[in-house]
């Protein structure tokens, strides 16, 4: 006696569902963390707070950047739901936490649905950027698809990158998306995501378009007395030389592009960026180096984290050491690390304000030090990261819903205090730094390594 026939669609769907369950179980089975670790506990409490402010949607879930303001819901990697999804995925791996994995998948489902209905202008210009738009959404979708085994989310990630490529303006062999040159919203960040997409998603033509982006960036560079620098865009005359908006980020993309293509022009551009940064760097008392916040007018203002400080700028010098094998670049990276210590992070250094974030504060430095430990096996980097992380935890706000960080996003608006949810200024980014720090101690490889990171290869 035979049972009911199963259609090919049902069979394929059943196999896909089984694969998804198998992949999710595999991720949850990777748990190596031990209870009682303060960094895991902080991540647990951050996850609990993020669960308490979740917003249900017809397609899944999302988060407001500021839970007090429902209108602050957004899809940027910088402040929006993609960063929360990434943290929850890392938390699921570290803790074997099925609740975090399920919530992350639902957050990714909301993003995939949003892509289908987004207006064209939401996906164009800065809407294509790594930290401001679709490139960052693609990264979060791919990581969610990988962790859960959901092939639909990986297809959505591939579709997102195809859309990014279609939104490019290509002229005379140069690709651009907007007037911005930088890592946050512009050519450098999108170019790095294209290289990631070619490696991870197999996106056809992504590497070639990254090279076109590199040529556009070279054409937009400004000659300095020594080397080359970049503004954010023609509309912003002030130059921010460090990683998020300036020569360090542009040079890092060009050096990474050279590693992928072996085109000499890209390496030459990266070397010109490094020469400019070296020419304007300030020496600290113990032989450290750091680069000012912006010019003109802020040449004596120094930040210390990912965006405008040594922790971000060192990425260019590490990458140059990788591609050239010249030790002098590694020495420069070490000098940038010395400057961070000289400025007494995290003891309310002049380069900090009331901010512990990935972008501007403690957690950007923690991530940098954890990555240094991964590259060099230097226990001192990990010890220093723990000291900074301890300060982060002490500055958190606990209540019945968990742990969050009330802080000022901008140094120039110290009275605007918000507990945000997202990656670069909120609890998701703090939690991610805590998990990466604990993972370095327990030998757990990170799931979330952003397209602009040179670490954890």
């Amino acid at each position: 006696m035979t049972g009911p026939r199963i259609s090919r669609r049902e069979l394929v769907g059943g196999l896909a569902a089984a694969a998804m369950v198998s992949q999710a179980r595999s991720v949850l089975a990777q748990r190596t963390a031990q209870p009682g670790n303060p960094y895991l506990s902080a991540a647990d409490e951050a996850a609990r707070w993020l669960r308490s402010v979740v917003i249900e949607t017809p397609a899944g879930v999302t988060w407001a950047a500021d839970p007090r303001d429902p209108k602050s819901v957004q899809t940027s990697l910088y402040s929006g739901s993609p960063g929360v999804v990434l943290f929850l995925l890392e938390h699921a791996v570290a803790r074997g936490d099925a609740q975090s994995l399920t919530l992350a998948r639902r957050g990714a489902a909301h993003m995939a649905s949003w892509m289908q209905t987004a207006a064209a202008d939401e996906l164009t210009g800065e809407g294509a950027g790594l930290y401001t738009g679709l490139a960052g959404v693609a990264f979060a979708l791919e990581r969610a698809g990988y962790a859960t085994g959901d092939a639909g989310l990986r297809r959505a990630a591939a579709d997102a990158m195809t859309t990014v490529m279609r939104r490019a303006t290509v002229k005379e062999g140069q690709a651009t998306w907007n007037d911005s040159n930088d890592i946050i919203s512009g050519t450098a960040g999108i170019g790095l995501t294209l290289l990631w997409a070619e490696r991870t998603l197999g996106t056809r033509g992504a590497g070639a378009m990254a090279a076109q982006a590199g040529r556009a960036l070279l054409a937009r560079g400004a000659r300095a007395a020594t080397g080359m620098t970049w503004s954010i865009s023609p509309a912003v005359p002030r130059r921010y030389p460090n990683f998020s908006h300036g020569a360090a980020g542009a040079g890092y993309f060009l050096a990474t592009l050279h590693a992928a293509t072996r085109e000499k022009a890209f390496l030459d551009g990266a070397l010109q960026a490094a020469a400019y940064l070296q020419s304007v760097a300030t020496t600290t008392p113990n032989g450290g180096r750091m680069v000012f916040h912006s010019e003109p007018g802020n040449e004596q203002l120094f930040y210390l984290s990912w965006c405008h400080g040594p922790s971000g700028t060192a990425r260019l010098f590490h990458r140059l050491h990788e591609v050239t094998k010249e030790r002098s670049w590694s020495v420069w990276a070490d000098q940038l690390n010395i400057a961070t210590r000289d400025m007494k992070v995290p003891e309310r250094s002049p380069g900090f304000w009331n901010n512990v974030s990935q972008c501007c504060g403690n957690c950007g430095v923690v991530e940098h030090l954890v990555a240094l430990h991964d590259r060099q096996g230097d226990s001192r980097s990990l010890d220093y990261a723990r000291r900074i992380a301890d300060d982060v935890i002490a500055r958190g706000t606990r209540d019945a819903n968990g742990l969050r960080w009330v802080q000022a996003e901008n140094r120039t608006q110290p009275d605007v205090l918000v507990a945000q949810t997202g990656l670069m200024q909120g609890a998701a980014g703090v939690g991610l730094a805590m998990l990466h720090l604990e993972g370095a101690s327990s030998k757990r490889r990170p799931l979330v390594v952003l397209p602009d990171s040179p670490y954890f290869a």
Side-chain angles (χ1 to χ4, degrees):
M1 183 175 182
T2 59
R5 296 184 64 184
I6 300 174
S7 70
R8 177 177 176 81
R9 177 177 294 180
E10 289 172 322
L11 177 61
V12 171
L15 291 173
M20 183 177 74
V21 171
S22 176
Q23 177 65 23
R25 286 175 177 167
S26 174
V27 168
L28 296 178
Q30 291 179 25
R31 177 179 57 180
T32 57
Q34 299 299 315
N37 182 291
Y39 313 117
L40 282 174
S41 296
D44 289 344
E45 292 187 76
R48 189 156 58 88
W49 180 68
L50 289 166
R51 290 168 187 157
S52 78
V53 295
V54 71
I55 299 171
E56 295 282 343
T57 76
V61 298
T62 191
W63 289 264
D66 176 357
R68 303 171 306 175
D69 178 10
K71 293 182 179 179
S72 66
V73 169
Q74 53 186 276
T75 53
S76 76
L77 180 60
Y78 192 94
S79 298
S81 58
V84 181
V85 166
L86 291 172
F87 162 62
L88 291 172
L89 292 171
E90 194 79 67
H91 186 251
V93 172
R95 280 309 218 186
D97 191 309
Q99 187 178 2
S100 283
L101 191 64
T102 298
L103 198 59
R105 182 166 176 258
R106 295 185 67 208
H110 171 83
M111 288 189 288
S113 176
W114 164 80
M115 283 171 44
Q116 303 302 315
T117 58
D121 61 355
E122 293 183 86
L123 310 176
T124 304
E126 290 193 0
L130 173 53
Y131 283 92
T132 57
L134 200 53
V137 170
F139 176 77
L141 287 171
E142 188 282 328
R143 289 289 78 190
Y146 172 83
T148 63
D150 189 330
L153 293 177
R154 283 181 61 85
R155 285 194 298 272
D159 290 345
M161 288 310 303
T162 298
T163 300
V164 168
M165 294 174 67
R166 287 175 179 166
R167 297 291 177 180
T169 299
V170 180
K171 184 177 181 181
E172 298 178 354
Q174 300 177 13
T176 58
W177 290 261
N178 51 55
D179 288 338
S180 176
N181 302 311
D182 68 9
I183 293 287
I184 295 285
S185 63
T187 303
I190 296 171
L192 288 167
T193 313
L194 289 166
L195 293 174
W196 163 83
E198 184 177 59
R199 293 191 310 271
T200 307
L201 292 167
T203 303
R204 184 176 299 179
M209 182 161 280
Q212 293 175 321
R215 294 184 190 105
L217 202 60
L218 288 172
R220 288 179 168 187
R223 292 288 172 185
T226 301
M228 184 184 296
T229 187
W230 284 261
S231 60
I232 297 177
S233 73
V236 184
R238 177 177 298 281
R239 290 199 177 99
Y240 300 82
N242 291 285
F243 189 75
S244 64
H245 292 308
Y252 172 75
F253 166 53
L254 292 171
T256 305
L257 190 56
H258 169 75
T261 65
R262 310 313 298 176
E263 289 192 30
K264 183 176 182 295
F266 299 138
L267 178 59
D268 289 344
L271 293 172
Q272 288 290 303
Y276 164 75
L277 292 165
Q278 289 175 314
S279 73
V280 299
T282 295
T283 302
T284 61
N286 296 309
R289 305 274 186 159
M290 56 186 178
V291 177
F292 55 75
H293 175 268
S294 59
E295 61 180 346
N298 282 333
E299 289 86 354
Q300 299 304 314
L301 177 63
F302 298 92
Y303 284 10
L304 293 169
S305 194
W306 174 88
C307 56
H308 300 296
S311 293
T313 298
R315 293 181 173 197
L316 168 60
F317 294 94
H318 281 303
R319 183 49 49 89
L320 285 173
H321 178 242
E322 288 177 346
V323 299
T324 68
K325 310 303 181 187
E326 294 179 9
R327 186 177 177 276
S328 60
W329 298 121
S330 181
V331 170
W332 262 87
D334 290 342
Q335 290 173 328
L336 289 162
N337 299 332
I338 291 169
T340 303
R341 289 182 170 88
D342 284 348
M343 295 292 282
K344 301 188 184 304
V345 171
E347 290 86 359
R348 309 304 191 270
S349 144
F352 277 178
W353 58 97
N354 178 22
N355 186 291
V356 298
S357 73
Q358 288 265 0
C359 182
C360 312
N362 282 16
C363 287
V365 182
V366 169
E367 292 276 18
H368 172 62
L369 293 168
V370 169
L372 277 182
H373 170 75
D374 182 75
R375 292 170 62 92
Q376 301 174 352
D378 184 353
S379 62
R380 292 175 299 174
S381 293
L382 215 54
D383 291 341
Y384 189 24
R386 291 189 187 102
R387 180 157 64 86
I388 298 172
D390 291 344
D391 179 77
V392 172
I393 294 170
R395 292 164 68 179
T397 299
R398 284 182 174 84
D399 61 20
N401 291 324
L403 182 60
R404 64 193 186 278
W405 285 265
V406 181
Q407 61 177 10
E409 179 171 345
N410 299 301
R411 175 186 59 84
T412 54
Q413 296 177 297
D415 297 327
V416 180
L417 302 174
V418 180
Q420 293 192 46
T421 60
L423 180 67
M424 298 306 283
Q425 293 288 349
V430 175
L432 189 64
M434 298 297 112
L435 293 173
H436 284 168
L437 174 55
E438 186 280 329
S441 301
S442 63
K443 312 298 184 187
R444 186 187 66 255
R445 305 304 292 171
L447 175 73
V448 177
V449 181
L450 293 164
D452 61 291
S453 174
Y455 302 117
F456 309 114

